[in-house]
Amino acid sequence: MTEQMTMLFTLTLSGAAIWGLVNVIKSHLLRNKNIHEDVVVVGTMLGASLVAFLIQFIWDGVPHGRIMPSFWLPFAVTALLNIGIQYFSVKALKIEDASVVIPLAATMPIFVIFMSWFLLGEWPTFLGRVGIGLIAIGSYILYLKGSPVAMPKRLEKIVPERLRAPVLFYGAPWLRLFSSNGARLALLTAYLGAVAVNFDKLAVLEATPMLFSGSVFLVVGVFVWIWSATSGRWQTLDKSNFKIIFLVGMLLGVGAVIMNGGYIYGIAPYVGTLKRTQIFWTLLFAALFLAEKHTAIRLVGATIMFFGVALVAF
């Protein structure tokens, strides 16, 4: 493995592990503590923004002259996309089971291959494409648990009875698209994410990972706060856990800065795909802290992801 690829893997996979821990904490706050998604988004975004800027000042000093004029257009595009990504992903987890949301979000690496070719002219090697596909498949399988879902009548007429059980198990997240806003929001975030990673890279290369991350998080947090306040929701929401949420956001900021550093060393499809390994860490930390049980199918998903990551290295 080249030095460039070593740095890409070290930064992106380390950041993904931190992001996985944040996912578990956010899910606990949203579903178990019943904290409103506006409070979670605003608190985590502001905390992440603060820590990203602090890392910039400590690590790289005052950012005088570090932002190129060509930074602003990709930054504006990805900031706008991230407003939707951050809010819709939290909203999806609030109203739908993670076993539906996360597999649908895991399809992002497949979309990003074509988006990166179209927007940046970046195209992975053959083994890289296979690895990206395996990571997407493994991520999809990793969180499946056979959530109850009814088979649409039209599909019932086509699928033989002996195949209905496996179709319902493996296709449950997609079938939920017909009846669940949470599932539809999860797929929407996958599409938005596939576009955003390309502009993320352009913006990072024209500034620094810290400035880019902090600026995007600040825009998202302020936008959602203004939206919530002007609608009258913010004034009525329980914000007693805001300090905890803010600290979770600071952890998120550290993970994001590390992950976004990967854009300096690799093409966008690889960075975007390796970020999805956060799903493995989300599952692991959920098992450790939320007592969620592993199953044989999850072991299969993790193994497929492992081989995918190995192939991307080549």
Side-chain angles (χ1 to χ4, degrees):
M1 188 186 296
T2 65
E3 185 178 344
Q4 289 279 107
M5 290 299 287
T6 300
M7 288 300 297
L8 168 66
F9 271 68
T10 301
L11 291 170
T12 313
L13 295 179
S14 299
I18 296 173
W19 202 291
L21 178 59
V22 170
N23 285 342
V24 172
I25 300 171
K26 282 168 60 177
S27 179
H28 173 70
L29 294 172
L30 287 163
R31 297 180 71 85
N32 297 340
K33 295 293 186 181
N34 199 33
I35 299 174
H36 195 275
E37 56 270 21
D38 287 12
V39 179
V40 173
V41 172
V42 172
T44 54
M45 292 298 97
L46 294 183
S49 177
L50 175 63
V51 80
F53 287 135
L54 285 176
I55 294 172
Q56 168 66 40
F57 292 132
I58 294 170
W59 185 269
D60 202 37
V62 178
H64 178 68
R66 296 305 306 272
I67 299 179
M68 300 293 105
S70 51
F71 165 81
W72 295 107
L73 179 59
F75 167 73
V77 173
T78 195
L80 182 62
L81 290 170
N82 270 278
I83 290 171
I85 292 168
Q86 295 296 334
Y87 190 80
F88 293 150
S89 62
V90 169
K91 185 74 173 177
L93 281 172
K94 180 74 172 181
I95 62 180
E96 181 58 87
D97 192 89
S99 64
V100 171
V101 172
I102 293 178
L104 288 174
T107 59
M108 186 270 272
I110 302 300
F111 302 141
V112 81
I113 293 177
F114 301 101
M115 290 295 180
S116 295
W117 172 76
F118 178 73
L119 294 170
L120 300 179
E122 294 183 344
W123 190 251
T125 64
F126 172 74
L127 288 179
R129 295 196 298 274
V130 174
I132 288 171
L134 289 177
I135 290 172
I137 293 169
S139 301
Y140 181 85
I141 292 174
L142 200 61
Y143 239 91
L144 287 176
K145 65 176 186 182
S147 299
V149 60
M151 182 174 288
K153 294 296 183 183
R154 290 183 181 179
L155 196 59
E156 237 177 31
K157 296 176 182 178
I158 301 172
V159 179
E161 191 170 349
R162 71 179 186 280
L163 297 178
R164 288 177 188 173
V167 167
L168 283 173
F169 183 84
Y170 290 104
W174 293 96
L175 294 175
R176 287 288 288 163
L177 289 171
F178 293 96
S179 59
S180 169
N181 284 333
R184 288 189 283 268
L185 287 174
L187 191 61
L188 176 60
T189 60
Y191 279 109
L192 294 177
V195 178
V197 294
N198 300 284
F199 292 97
D200 289 353
K201 177 174 182 175
L202 291 173
V204 166
L205 295 181
E206 298 302 324
T208 69
M210 297 79 77
L211 286 174
F212 164 71
S213 303
S215 300
V216 168
F217 288 138
L218 182 60
V219 168
V220 174
V222 170
F223 179 89
V224 173
W225 176 76
I226 292 173
W227 182 25
S228 185
T230 53
S231 68
R233 286 195 309 272
W234 187 260
Q235 294 84 341
T236 64
L237 297 177
D238 178 10
K239 296 178 280 291
S240 58
N241 291 293
F242 193 83
K243 289 182 180 179
I244 295 173
I245 297 168
F246 190 86
L247 290 174
V248 173
M250 294 183 72
L251 183 61
L252 171 66
V254 172
V257 166
I258 294 172
M259 277 197 298
N260 287 331
Y263 287 115
I264 298 171
Y265 300 98
I267 62 175
Y270 288 161
V271 177
T273 300
L274 292 174
K275 282 184 175 184
R276 303 317 299 171
T277 58
Q278 65 179 273
I279 295 170
F280 168 78
W281 294 106
T282 300
L283 177 64
L284 178 62
F285 290 128
L288 292 173
F289 302 121
L290 302 182
E292 292 187 7
K293 296 179 180 179
H294 292 285
T295 63
I297 193 68
R298 288 180 169 179
L299 181 60
V300 171
T303 303
I304 293 173
M305 283 188 74
F306 171 79
F307 283 111
V309 170
L311 285 178
V312 167
F314 295 98

